[in-house]
Amino acid sequence: MPCIFCEIAAGRAPASIVYEDNMALAFMDINPINPGHVLVMPRRHFETLSDMDETTGMHVFQIAMRVEQALRNVEEIRCEGTNLLMTNGAVAGQTEFHAHLHILPRFQGDNVRFRFAQAARPERHVLDQLADAIELAMQ
Ligand code: AMP
Ligand code: ZN
């Protein structure tokens, strides 16, 4: 089955486009969590964030920043705050496997709830050890 987001990028599937350029586009989520829910994605098919090159990732984030700012100035959209969310992998809730960043307007009394099970706070040496391991992996 063809990737629906590739189809949107190619103009072969319908989408309500907010912004587009030669590298990325922003469009309305077809099934919004709140009104004004926008997705930003690269034109090229990358499955997840870790498949994407940094130039593309930076560009996607730059567009997301501009959309986020704009949402606050649209009269029809209640935007008192936002969440930016990216699902990478099915385990993280990804259902469309063409990398995309959600921009979700939030307002007082909306029905969005993020719930995280509270783990016990690790000791400092455990955090230090993980920080070192991640730092090493970044090189
Ligand atoms: P995710 O769980 O991060 O993979 O989310 C995929 C998102 O894509 C969901 O919020 C869907 O509502 C949205 N979506 C799926 N198909 C389309 C489409 N054709 N146009 C716009 N948004 C879509
Ligand atoms: Zn795709």
Side-chain angles (χ1 to χ4, degrees):
M1 210 171 66
C3 167
I4 183 66
F5 285 4
C6 278
E7 293 298 294
I8 288 173
R12 288 191 293 266
S16 299
I17 306 281
V18 170
Y19 171 87
E20 61 182 322
D21 60 31
N22 58 4
M23 204 190 282
L25 58 166
F27 56 104
M28 303 311 294
D29 194 297
I30 203 171
N31 196 204
I33 291 173
N34 272 338
H37 181 173
V38 172
L39 302 176
V40 186
M41 68 170 184
R43 263 186 202 286
R44 255 187 73 192
H45 185 93
F46 300 97
E47 195 166 304
T48 69
L49 181 67
S50 59
D51 301 308
M52 213 186 282
D53 60 275
E54 277 190 12
T55 304
T56 305
M58 281 163 59
H59 190 63
V60 165
F61 198 77
Q62 189 174 42
I63 295 167
M65 288 181 72
R66 290 167 61 189
V67 170
E68 200 267 357
Q69 188 61 53
L71 287 173
R72 297 168 184 274
N73 300 320
V74 177
E75 208 176 324
E76 300 91 315
I77 296 171
R78 279 189 76 184
C79 183
E80 298 161 6
T82 61
N83 288 118
L84 266 59
L85 172 73
M86 196 162 186
T87 57
N88 295 293
V91 75
Q94 189 172 10
T95 58
E96 295 299 337
F97 292 90
H98 179 132
H100 55 277
L101 181 58
H102 296 256
I103 306 163
L104 186 58
R106 299 296 307 274
F107 56 90
Q108 200 64 243
D110 68 16
N111 273 324
V112 183
R113 300 282 178 271
F114 292 109
R115 298 185 62 221
F116 301 101
Q118 204 65 51
R121 184 188 281 212
E123 289 182 32
R124 177 61 56 194
H125 74 90
V126 176
L127 295 175
D128 286 344
Q129 203 180 348
L130 286 175
D132 289 346
I134 296 166
E135 184 186 11
L136 195 65
M138 284 172 71
Q139 286 163 13

